[in-house]
Amino acid sequence: MARVRLGVAERREELLRAAIEQIEARGVAAVRIADVASALGVSNALVLYHFSTKERLVADAFAFAAEGDLAHLRKLLGRRTTALRRLRSAVRWYAPTGPAKGWRLWIEAWAVSLREPALRDVARDLDRRWKAALAEVIAEGVAAGEFRCPDPAGTALRLTALLDGLAVQLTSYDGAVSRARAQEWVEEALGRELGLGARTSSAPER
């Protein structure tokens, strides 16, 4: 069966999605241009036409995944509801116990970015934009009198650091911590940071 001829942008996105799948399955170190090409039934030359090297393909694949995550974050934080509900929705989605996918992908990115400047820039930018978005909604909640937080940027950093660390434990070390316990710790941390105490974990989700 003949393949449908795609435009440049559509072909590029198809290749990036295939690269993400191959990285998740094989890891950055093991994945090859040939794996991405084979997954789509195209030639190595076509992949290299769009991405001159494996390193460029990997960096662009992570950037593509990052933009997808950030788009979903903006959707959650843009809801017409209280800052607290928006923040809780974002944290619960981002947490390794929530519906967000791709933690194995990002753990791979953190490891490889130690040696790859292009990927390090992608990971750093994603981290910065996540923290900035959370800090912004925290500041909105403080201004609206929903909760107390003297340092929204510091709170965003501590929350994301906790979530990232739990993601490593849950993804890399089977049985190190249960999902239920991890979720409990996230709720407790959010309550402490916002001066809400037990109210955060007991409040109904709407």
Side-chain angles (χ1 to χ4, degrees):
M1 181 177 178
R3 289 181 54 82
V4 176
R5 186 175 181 83
L6 300 178
V8 173
E10 293 173 311
R11 175 68 74 191
R12 181 180 174 86
E13 181 173 330
E14 180 186 54
L15 291 168
L16 290 172
R17 292 186 185 280
I20 291 168
E21 291 177 358
Q22 291 300 311
I23 292 168
E24 288 180 326
R26 302 170 185 271
V28 172
V31 75
R32 304 169 303 161
I33 290 289
D35 297 321
V36 177
S38 177
L40 294 175
V42 300
S43 68
N44 292 3
L46 178 65
V47 181
L48 290 170
Y49 172 79
H50 289 275
F51 308 94
S52 56
T53 64
K54 171 190 166 179
E55 289 72 24
R56 184 72 265 160
L57 172 63
V58 168
D60 287 358
F62 279 112
F64 181 77
E67 289 301 329
D69 285 351
L70 287 164
H72 190 76
L73 175 66
R74 287 191 292 269
K75 180 179 179 180
L76 291 174
L77 296 183
R79 293 165 54 202
R80 300 185 64 178
T81 185
T82 65
L84 179 57
R85 286 177 182 157
R86 286 181 283 142
L87 179 62
R88 290 178 67 203
S89 293
V91 168
R92 286 180 172 179
W93 173 74
Y94 180 85
T97 57
K101 302 184 185 299
W103 273 111
R104 187 173 300 279
L105 181 74
W106 288 112
I107 291 171
E108 284 276 350
W110 295 335
V112 177
S113 67
L114 295 174
R115 300 177 299 278
E116 295 290 344
L119 187 50
R120 182 162 60 247
D121 290 344
V122 170
R124 182 189 292 120
D125 183 59
L126 174 63
D127 184 68
R128 178 187 61 78
R129 291 163 72 183
W130 259 97
K131 288 180 173 64
L134 293 182
E136 182 178 351
V137 76
I138 291 169
E140 289 178 14
V142 171
E146 295 180 34
F147 44 74
R148 303 184 305 277
C149 180
D151 181 12
T155 287
L157 190 155
R158 287 187 292 274
L159 284 175
T160 53
L162 172 64
L163 296 171
D164 292 345
L166 287 173
V168 172
Q169 294 294 316
L170 286 164
T171 304
S172 303
Y173 309 122
D174 187 37
V177 60
S178 70
R179 293 175 65 85
R181 177 57 61 87
Q183 182 62 55
E184 181 182 332
W185 288 343
V186 171
E187 296 285 358
E188 289 174 353
L190 186 59
R192 285 193 304 271
E193 290 286 351
L194 304 182
L196 299 175
R199 285 190 295 151
T200 298
S201 58
S202 61
E205 189 71 24
R206 298 180 185 178

